C-alpha cells in the first residue's frame, strides 16, 4: 500500500501544480521562483522525471518568461533543489526548441555565479550550452569568463568547434580582428585548447592569430622579397686543337 504522504506529494506535484501553472490567474499565484522551489524541494526523483517527460510533451510550462529570475534565485537553494530546477529547465528548453530567451537567461546567470560555489548551476549551464550553436553574444559571454571558471570555457569552445566548426570559425576570426579586449579574450581561451583541436587547425584562425601576434606582418614572400643571386657561370672546358 503506498504511503499516504507519498501519494499526496505525487498528486500535488503532478496534478495540482501543473494545473495552477496553466490555468490560475497570475494575481492569485505566489511568486514563481517560490512555487518552483516548493515543487522541487518535495518532489522525489521519480516525480521530477515524470514532470520532465510531461514538459517534453508540452503539456504545460513552468518557467514562463521568468527563467532568469528563477535561475538567479536558485543559486541560493540547496543542492537537491538546484538539481531539480535544472532538470526541469532542460526538458522545457527542449520542448521550446532551444528558444533564445532561455539562452539570454543562461548568459545572465553565467555572469553572476561563482564557479567555486555554484557547481550545480555551472553543470546545468554546461549541459545546455553544448546543445546549441553559439551566436556572437553567447560566444563572447563564454570567452570573457575569468580563469576561475577553467576549464569551463575551453571545454565548451572545443565541443562547439567539433559540432559547428563552420559557424564558430568566422566568429572567432572576427573577434581576433576586433577590438583589443575581444582579441585578448579569444587568444586566452584558444591557448587552453588541446593542440589538436579542430579550431586551431583552421587556416583562417591560424592566420588571424599570427596577424594579431605580429601586427602588419605579411607572408614571407611579400614582406621579405627574395633577392636574386646570380649563380657563377660555369667555365667552358678547353677543346684541344
Amino acid at each position: 500500500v503506498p504511503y499516504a504522504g507519498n501519494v499526496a506529494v505525487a498528486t500535488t506535484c503532478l496534478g495540482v501544480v501543473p494545473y495552477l501553472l496553466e490555468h490560475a490567474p497570475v494575481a492569485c499565484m505566489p511568486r514563481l521562483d517560490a512555487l518552483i522551489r516548493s515543487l522541487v524541494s518535495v518532489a522525489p526523483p521519480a516525480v521530477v522525471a515524470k514532470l520532465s517527460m510531461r514538459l517534453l510533451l508540452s503539456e504545460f510550462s513552468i518557467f514562463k518568461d521568468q527563467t532568469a529570475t528563477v535561475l538567479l534565485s536558485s543559486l541560493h537553494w540547496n543542492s537537491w533543489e538546484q538539481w531539480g530546477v535544472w532538470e526541469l529547465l532542460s526538458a522545457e528548453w527542449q520542448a521550446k526548441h532551444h528558444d533564445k530567451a532561455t539562452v539570454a537567461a543562461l548568459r545572465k546567470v553565467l555572469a553572476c555565479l561563482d564557479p567555486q560555489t555554484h557547481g550545480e548551476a555551472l553543470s546545468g549551464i554546461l549541459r545546455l550550452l553544448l546543445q546549441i550553436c553559439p551566436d556572437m553574444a553567447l560566444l563572447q559571454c563564454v570567452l570573457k569568463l575569468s580563469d576561475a571558471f577553467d576549464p569551463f570555457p575551453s571545454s565548451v569552445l572545443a565541443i562547439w568547434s567539433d559540432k559547428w566548426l563552420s559557424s564558430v570559425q568566422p566568429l572567432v576570426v572576427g573577434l581576433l580582428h576586433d577590438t583589443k579586449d575581444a582579441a585578448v579574450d579569444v587568444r586566452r581561451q584558444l591557448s587552453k585548447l588541446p593542440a589538436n583541436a579542430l579550431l586551431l587547425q583552421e587556416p583562417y584562425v591560424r592566420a588571424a592569430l599570427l596577424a594579431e601576434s605580429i601586427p602588419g606582418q605579411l607572408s614571407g614572400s611579400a614582406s621579405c622579397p627574395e633577392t636574386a643571386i646570380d649563380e657563377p657561370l660555369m667555365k667552358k672546358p678547353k677543346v684541344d686543337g
Side-chain angles (χ1 to χ4, degrees):
V1 178
Y3 174 55
N6 292 340
V7 173
V9 167
T11 301
T12 301
C13 294
L14 297 174
V16 176
V17 173
Y19 180 85
L20 291 175
L21 288 169
E22 283 299 292
H23 303 289
V26 176
C28 300
M29 292 286 287
R31 282 181 44 178
L32 187 59
D33 57 335
L35 177 62
I36 294 176
R37 185 178 190 182
S38 298
L39 174 66
V40 296
S41 66
V42 299
V47 170
V48 173
K50 288 184 179 180
L51 286 170
S52 298
M53 297 170 199
R54 292 177 61 186
L55 287 169
L56 289 170
L57 294 171
S58 299
E59 291 185 8
F60 64 99
S61 64
I62 290 180
F63 295 89
K64 311 298 182 182
D65 59 349
Q66 300 184 45
T67 303
T69 300
V70 174
L71 293 181
L72 289 172
S73 178
S74 74
L75 296 178
H76 305 286
W77 303 354
N78 66 40
S79 184
W80 168 255
E81 292 166 348
Q82 290 191 58
W83 174 85
V85 81
W86 285 102
E87 285 294 309
L88 297 176
L89 177 63
S90 177
E92 184 166 314
W93 195 44
Q94 291 286 347
K96 290 181 177 179
H97 305 289
H98 302 159
D99 66 301
K100 293 184 178 181
T102 300
V103 177
L106 296 180
R107 295 204 311 266
K108 289 182 180 179
V109 177
L110 196 55
C112 296
L113 63 79
D114 179 350
Q116 306 304 322
T117 305
H118 304 122
E120 299 88 351
L122 196 62
S123 296
I125 294 174
L126 176 66
R127 183 172 59 175
L128 298 186
L129 291 189
L130 298 184
Q131 301 177 36
I132 57 170
C133 179
D135 58 13
M136 181 61 83
L138 182 56
L139 179 62
Q140 285 186 292
C141 176
V142 171
L143 294 177
K144 287 180 179 179
L145 294 174
S146 70
D147 293 341
F149 282 82
D150 288 348
F152 179 91
S154 55
S155 62
V156 173
L157 186 58
I159 298 302
W160 279 346
S161 301
D162 287 345
K163 289 185 173 182
W164 300 287
L165 183 60
S166 61
S167 298
V168 173
Q169 180 250 34
L171 297 179
V172 170
V173 172
L175 289 173
L176 284 170
H177 290 306
D178 201 351
T179 62
K180 182 177 180 180
D181 290 340
V184 169
D185 288 332
V186 178
R187 292 178 62 83
R188 179 168 56 88
Q189 301 300 352
L190 288 178
S191 69
K192 301 170 187 176
L193 291 176
N196 62 347
L198 290 178
L199 191 58
L200 296 180
Q201 310 307 316
E202 274 292 300
Y204 288 108
V205 174
R206 294 168 65 89
L209 285 170
L210 179 61
E212 175 65 21
S213 60
I214 310 177
Q217 177 171 326
L218 303 176
S219 62
S221 59
S223 59
C224 301
E226 294 180 358
T227 303
I229 301 176
D230 294 330
E231 295 182 358
L233 296 176
M234 294 181 64
K235 294 182 179 180
K236 293 182 179 180
K238 292 182 179 180
V239 179
D240 294 336

